[in-house]
Amino acid sequence: MPKQQPITAAFGGCDRLRGSPASRALCSPQRVAVAPRSLRWSEEKSVRPSDNYPTDGHFYRKKMTVRRIRTGRLVSRFDSLRLHFLLFLRLPMLYLSRMAISTCGCKGIRFCAACEHTDRVQKLKFEEKEHEGFSCFIWDGKRNVAIASPQLNPDSSIQEIQNASTSIVGDEDFMEIDGLMLINDFINKEEEDYLMERIDRVEWALSQSGRRKQDYGPQVNFKHKKVKTTKFLGMPDYADMLLDKMSNYDEKKLAEYIPFEMCNLEYEESRKSAIEMHQDDMWIWGNRLISINLINGSVMTMSNEKEKQLLFVWMPHLSLLCMADTSRYSWKHGVLPHHIKGRRIALTMREAAPAFQPGGDLYEKYGKGLIDISRIRVPLGGKNQ
């Protein structure tokens, strides 16, 4: 039986295997070819012919390049190139597959037109007639009261809600909802054109439920109550125009508004865009939630689960909706897919919770830095900036 050479000789003098139990187990030509998982790494060596690697003179003159890959085998340069070529041929298919997956940002229970027929969504169980038996109301934007509307139901269309909103007489039964305020024609058409020109300069990111978004604000881990500001550079340069108009309109209710977050949400009818009924987080976001309606009108649906009441707020084009106090903390809100016509942009703003404001428990840890960044304005110079 010929004397077996150490494995280190076959690998050009690699010392890290010398004297180890593995090296003694892998000293035969048959065992050098396939190594155990514990010895697998990527390495390339030029190996001259030896007893373990018999070859002819042709390969001897050119040397023999050997590659050790993750499977633990030694393959020639030709086999390595062949493997890379096969992987290269698959790249277009992988890219198209990735593109198909990334047409929406939905996950969990969220879905849109792009994914509503996928296996994930088909397996979901939805609560049927979620608001069955709720009393329906329509919001009177002129008097800022809720009018009882028995002709409406949870499935009412955007046209039915708009008709009910514009046909209010004034002597109907109503109820007040503290903190809910609708301002018609908050901005004019020229101001909207200016805003949309600035907004569409920035690249949109995929979001859930068929939406796209532009987010100016910190990264928040609501579960673990942590905040990151590494990507938060400030508010867009058109923020001051909106904040000044808010302050001038109502110094008591809308003044001294410092947004911790400004988020532009794009809704599109063809994508069945929506935002599910929810309450905004109360750990970091404060009392006043602002939504400015651009391009097209829509409906904000609000529900009071305790009182079994459903409120439809028709938000005309160019209007501003403020949800605070009772409307913020006792009601959920959302935008349903059948209440979107064409393209709609919701320019939303959230202010800091009391704990993040001066004197709050988290002011020094998070609040002060976030407020300082919020006062910075990000110039929107070019496309996709």
Side-chain angles (χ1 to χ4, degrees), residues 9-26:
F11 283 93
C14 179
D15 293 328
R16 57 180 158 180
L17 295 179
R18 181 175 296 150
S20 67
S23 67
R24 291 191 294 272
L26 296 175

Side-chain angles (χ1 to χ4, degrees), residues 216 232-237 239-240 369-379:
Y216 300 89
F232 184 23
L233 304 178
M235 295 298 163
D237 55 11
D240 288 330
L370 287 171
I371 291 174
D372 290 342
I373 298 175
S374 297
R375 298 186 187 278
I376 300 173
R377 298 296 174 254
V378 178

Side-chain angles (χ1 to χ4, degrees), residues 75-93:
V75 297
S76 67
R77 169 71 73 177
F78 173 78
D79 289 334
S80 176
L81 293 175
R82 180 173 175 271
L83 176 63
H84 283 81
F85 179 70
L86 292 176
L87 290 174
F88 175 77
L89 292 180
R90 294 196 62 185
L91 285 178
M93 183 178 297

Side-chain angles (χ1 to χ4, degrees), residues 51-334:
D51 294 339
N52 289 346
Y53 294 94
T55 183
D56 57 19
H58 175 76
F59 281 100
Y60 179 81
R61 288 191 300 271
K62 292 187 176 182
K63 299 186 179 181
M64 181 175 66
T65 300
V66 178
R67 182 185 295 270
R68 191 169 199 176
I69 60 175
R70 291 185 63 186
T71 58
R73 293 187 305 156
L74 298 175
V75 297
S76 67
R77 169 71 73 177
F78 173 78
D79 289 334
S80 176
L81 293 175
R82 180 173 175 271
L83 176 63
H84 283 81
F85 179 70
L86 292 176
L87 290 174
F88 175 77
L89 292 180
R90 294 196 62 185
L91 285 178
M93 183 178 297
L94 293 172
Y95 175 77
L96 293 175
S97 175
R98 173 78 179 213
M99 289 295 292
I101 294 174
S102 62
T103 53
C104 75
C106 301
K107 57 184 179 181
I109 63 172
R110 311 290 191 258
F111 66 94
C112 64
C115 65
E116 62 180 340
H117 299 298
T118 60
D119 292 340
R120 176 184 65 83
V121 177
Q122 295 299 314
K123 293 177 182 178
L124 296 176
K125 295 181 180 180
F126 299 98
E127 183 178 352
E128 297 183 2
K129 301 190 180 299
E130 181 181 0
H131 298 112
E132 185 176 10
F134 280 43
S135 300
C136 292
F137 295 80
I138 191 76
W139 187 249
D140 182 353
K142 294 180 180 180
R143 295 183 293 164
N144 280 320
V145 295
I147 306 297
S149 301
Q151 74 274 22
L152 297 178
N153 61 72
D155 298 322
S156 293
S157 67
I158 185 173
Q159 191 61 53
E160 291 172 332
I161 294 170
Q162 183 180 1
N163 292 341
S165 176
T166 56
S167 61
I168 295 174
V169 177
D171 58 353
E172 301 91 346
D173 293 334
F174 68 90
M175 69 174 178
E176 295 182 350
I177 302 178
D178 187 35
L180 186 61
M181 179 172 61
L182 178 68
I183 305 174
N184 292 321
D185 298 317
F186 174 72
I187 59 174
N188 57 41
K189 189 64 175 65
E190 290 73 21
E191 290 169 331
E192 181 194 40
D193 291 341
Y194 168 78
L195 289 172
M196 288 308 307
E197 191 273 334
R198 310 296 285 176
I199 289 173
D200 278 334
R201 287 183 181 185
V202 180
E203 184 177 0
W204 291 92
L206 289 174
S207 185
Q208 299 201 66
S209 301
R211 303 185 306 273
R212 297 197 302 172
K213 67 178 181 180
Q214 298 170 356
D215 201 356
Y216 300 89
Q219 294 176 282
V220 183
N221 187 321
F222 299 106
K223 182 177 180 181
H224 299 288
K225 296 186 177 181
K226 294 183 179 180
V227 180
K228 290 184 179 180
T229 60
T230 51
K231 297 182 180 180
F232 184 23
L233 304 178
M235 295 298 163
D237 55 11
Y238 50 80
D240 288 330
M241 181 196 83
L242 300 172
L243 297 175
D244 290 343
K245 288 182 70 69
M246 289 167 57
S247 180
N248 293 333
Y249 185 88
D250 194 320
E251 291 186 358
K252 182 179 179 181
K253 295 183 179 180
L254 297 177
E256 299 181 0
Y257 195 97
I258 302 176
F260 255 29
E261 181 189 62
M262 180 179 288
C263 187
N264 299 324
L265 297 175
E266 181 194 59
Y267 296 77
E268 179 64 56
E269 181 181 5
S270 62
R271 297 199 300 263
K272 296 185 178 181
S273 301
I275 188 165
E276 292 72 15
M277 303 298 291
H278 68 284
Q279 278 187 314
D280 283 40
D281 182 78
M282 301 175 192
W283 173 67
I284 186 171
W285 309 135
N287 184 33
R288 295 172 293 180
L289 308 177
I290 303 296
S291 180
I292 300 174
N293 213 52
L294 305 177
I295 303 180
N296 277 301
S298 186
V299 175
M300 182 71 77
T301 302
M302 304 181 64
S303 66
N304 188 319
E305 309 294 330
K306 182 179 179 180
E307 302 295 335
K308 291 190 175 297
Q309 294 171 336
L310 198 65
L311 173 65
F312 297 110
V313 183
W314 164 244
M315 300 181 294
H317 179 210
L318 308 178
S319 63
L320 177 146
L321 181 67
C322 176
M323 293 177 286
D325 303 328
T326 301
S327 65
R328 157 81 161 106
Y329 299 108
S330 298
W331 293 70
K332 293 182 178 181
H333 62 274

